[in-house]
Amino acid sequence: MQKSNIPLGIHWEAVEADPRFQALHREKNKFLWRMMLFTLIFYFLLPISTAYFQDILKVKTWGVINVGLLFALSQFIVAWAIAVIYAKRANAEFDARSKALVKDAHNIRTVI
Amino acid sequence: MNIKSMNKVLLIIATLQTAPVLATPKKYAAVSAEYRWLTFLVFSSIIAATMYITYWASKRVKSTEDFYAAGNSISGLQNGWAIAGDYLSAASFLGIAGLISLYGYDGFMYSVGFLMGYIAVLLVIAEPCRNIGKYTLGDILAFRNDPKKARMVAALSTITVSIFYLTAQMVGGGVLVKTLIGIDYEVSVIAVGTLMLAYVVFGGMVATTYVQIVKAVLLVIASLVLVTLVWLPYGFSLPAFLQAVVSDSKVQAQVAKLLGTAASSMSAQELGQRFLEPGLFLKDPIDQISLGMALVFGTAGLPHILMRFFTVPNAQEARKSVVWAMAIIGGFYVLTLFLGFGAAIHVGPETIGGIDKGGNMAAPLLAQYLGGGENSLLGNFMLAFVAAVAFATIVAVVAGLVLASASAIAHDLYVNVIKDGNTSQAQQMQAAKIASICVGVVAILIGILAKGQNVAHLVGMAFAVAASSNLPAIFLTLYWKKCNTTGVVMGMLIGAGSAILLVLISPNMTYPQKMVADAKTVLEGAVGQPAIAAKASEGFICELFTFCQKAEPAKPTVETLDSVPFQTKLVNSEIDHDTPPEEIIKAQIKIAALKKQIEKAKEDLAKYQNQTTSQLTSMMGLEKPLFRLKNPGIISIPLGFLMVVLFSLLTHDKRAEDLWEELYVRQNTGLHVEGVLH
C-alpha cells in the first residue's frame, strides 16, 4: 500500500512500457470488453423484450414451453459459457504470460 | 369459448374472491404444537454444528489477517461455495421461490439478473481486486487516491450498503422465525443477532466462511431433494412438468385473480399458459430495466462479496472461485423454477400468499407437503430442515455484512485514518472486535425498530447504492489513468446520495394522503375519467418524474354497493331464481370483491383519522411520489460514473498519476502482491 514498502529494483514505468506487457494488456482488454459488451446486450434484451415484445415471448415452441422461458434459460447457458471461455483462455494464456513478466520484472529497467 | 369452460373460469374466480369474505380463513400455524420438539431438535443441531465450527475457527484466528481475510487460506472451490452462500440470502432462496409460486415467469426474471451480475465480477473486478486490495474496498481505492479521503468515503459507502442489506435480512429473519417456530419477533431478531455476533467475534472471517460453506451445501442438498420429489412424477421431463403447471386449477385461479376482469374472456388453459408468460408482477417497463441495471452492476460493488476475494491466496484462485460461484448460484436458480412451480401446484398460490404476502413461505411449505403434509412426521421434519437452513442463511449473511462494516470502521477509519496506521497487531484485533460488536448491536436495534415495516425495497436499494457508488469508483480507479481522488470522492457521494434520495421520493414510501384519497374513492364511488395523453415535448422525463403529466389510460368508474342494487339483490336471493346461474356467480364475484375493498378502505381510513391533512405526508413530507420508478438505477448509476469522470477531468492529482503504472501493472499481473503488502 505505502510506496516505501515497494521492493527496490522494480521500475513500474519500465514494466508498463515493456512490449510484452503492452501486448498482454491490449489483448486481454479487447477480449474482456468484447465479452462484457456481449453479455450486457444479451442480458438487457430480456427485460426489453418482456417490456416491449411480449408477443414474441408468448410463442409456444415445445409443448407449453414458450420463447420467453427458453430465452430466460438461455441466459444461464450464456453466463456459464462466458465463465468457461474466459477461465480457459486466462488459465492457458494470460497466466503464463504474466508469470513470465513477473519473473523478469527485476531486469526490466529502461523505458522504451 | 364454450359455456362450460366459461362457467369453470367464473367458478374459479368466484371461489377465490369470495373465500376470504364468506368463509373465515383457517388460522395457520406452520408447525403444529405436537411437532415443535422436532423443529427445535433440527434447529439446535444446525446451530450446534455452526458453534463447533466457530470454536474450531477461534483457535485459528490469531492476527487481523486471519480475522478479516481468513489468512488467505481459502481455496478457490471453498470460496466459490462461500460466495454462493453469501449471495443465496433469504431474499433469493425464499423470496424468488415465492415470487415464482405467486407470479410465475416474472419471478424467474429476478434469478437471471442476480446471476448475470457475476459476469462483471468475473471479468473486471475479482482478479484486480485480489491483486491490489488487502481487507477492504478502502484498500483498493486508497492505492492511488488520497488514502485518507478515499478510505473515509469507501467506509461510508460500505456501511450504508451493509445497513440497507442487513435491515432487510434482520426483519425478514425475524418474521421467518416467528412464522415457523412461533417465538416472538423481538426474541428471534435477538437470537439471529447474538448467534451472528458469536461467529464474527470469536471466529472472524474463518468461522464466517466455513459456516457459509456448510450452509450453502445444506441449502443445495435440501433444494435438490425437493426438486427431485417434485419432478420425478413427470419422468424428469420439462414439457410434462410445465404442462401440469398450466393445467393446474390453483394456478389458473391465481392468474384469474391477478388479471381481474381481463380474465373473463380467457379459457382455463389460456389462464394457465399466462402463468408462463411475463407481465403478472413487473408492470412498468422502465422500472424493469432500472432494476436489471442495479442487479447487474450492483453485485460487483457489494462489500461483503468483494471482501471474499481477499480470502484466497492469489488471482487464479479468485477467478476459480467466481467460476464455481456462478456454477452453484446458477444451478440453484434453475432449481428455484421447480421449487416455485412445485409449490404453486402442490400448495397453491392462495395458501402461500395467505400466510405471507411476499410468498416467502413457498419453499418451506412445499417441503412440508412433499414429506407427507401437515400431520406427518416426515413432512414436519422436512419443513423444519428447510426452515433451519433458511435461518442459518440469514445468520451467516448478516455475519458477512457485519464483518464488512466492522472492517470498514476498524481497518479503514480507526487504524488508517485516525491512527495513521500506527497501531500494534493486538490493538488492531481489539478494534476489529469492538467494531463488530457495535455494528452487531446496531443491527439488532434496527431489526427491532423496523418491525412491521416494508423492507422489501431495501435489498434493491442496497444493490442500487453499490452500483452507483462503489462500482464506478472501483472500476475507474482500476482501469482509467485519469481517475483521481476528487473524482472518486464526488462520484461516490453523488452516486450514493442520488440513489438514496430517489428512493425516498419514490413509490416505495408510504403516502398517507393518497391512501386516504383511494379509500374515500372506494367508499364514495367515482365517475370514470377519459385517458390523458402526454405532451409530446416532455417525453422520457415524464416516464421518470411526476411533476409533468405522463400518458395515462382511462380510469374506470368506481362502483359502491349502492350503485349495483341489482347484483346485491341477486346475491341476497331477493330476485326469482330463473336468473341463469352464471349471472348469479358473476354477481357474487362483484359483491364479494367490493366488500373486500370496502373493508380495506375502512381500515386505511381508521389508521389516519386522528391526523390533520398537513400531517398526512410521507417521511419526506411529500403528498405523492415525485419519482415514478421503484428502482433508481437507471438514473443514479450513469450519474455515479459521470461524476467520477467529470471531477477527475476537472482536477489534477499527482499521486493518482504517479501510481498509475504501478497499479495497472499490478492489477494485471499480480506482481509482488505478497511482498508489498506485508
Side-chain angles (χ1 to χ4, degrees), chain B residues 20 123 125 128 156 160 191 207 223 249 271 309 346 377 384 419 432 454 503 511 514 551 638 650:
Chain B
L123 297 181
I125 297 296
L156 185 69
T160 311
S223 307
S249 63
L271 284 174
F309 297 115
H346 292 308
L377 185 69
K419 292 276 168 184
N454 174 11
V503 169
Y511 295 89
K514 193 177 176 302
L650 286 176

Side-chain angles (χ1 to χ4, degrees), chain B residues 576-651:
Chain B
D576 279 351
H577 52 266
D578 54 347
T579 323
E582 60 263 39
E583 278 295 313
I584 298 183
I585 295 173
K586 267 189 185 168
Q588 279 176 343
I589 297 168
K590 185 155 214 171
I591 299 295
L594 269 177
K595 280 188 178 163
K596 203 174 158 188
Q597 285 171 3
I598 290 168
E599 218 174 288
K600 170 98 190 0
K602 282 185 177 156
E603 262 176 44
D604 287 346
L605 272 185
K607 222 188 282 177
Y608 298 110
Q609 62 179 354
N610 294 327
Q611 286 171 315
T612 59
T613 319
S614 59
Q615 283 175 303
L616 289 177
T617 55
S618 75
M619 229 167 79
M620 294 295 288
L622 291 173
E623 291 172 9
K624 61 169 191 174
L626 270 177
F627 186 58
R628 280 185 207 277
L629 306 183
K630 287 186 174 151
N631 198 291
I634 202 166
I635 292 185
S636 61
I637 298 170
L639 191 65
F641 274 97
L642 195 72
M643 288 299 132
V644 179
V645 172
L646 192 70
F647 281 95
S648 295
L649 289 178
L650 286 176
T651 53

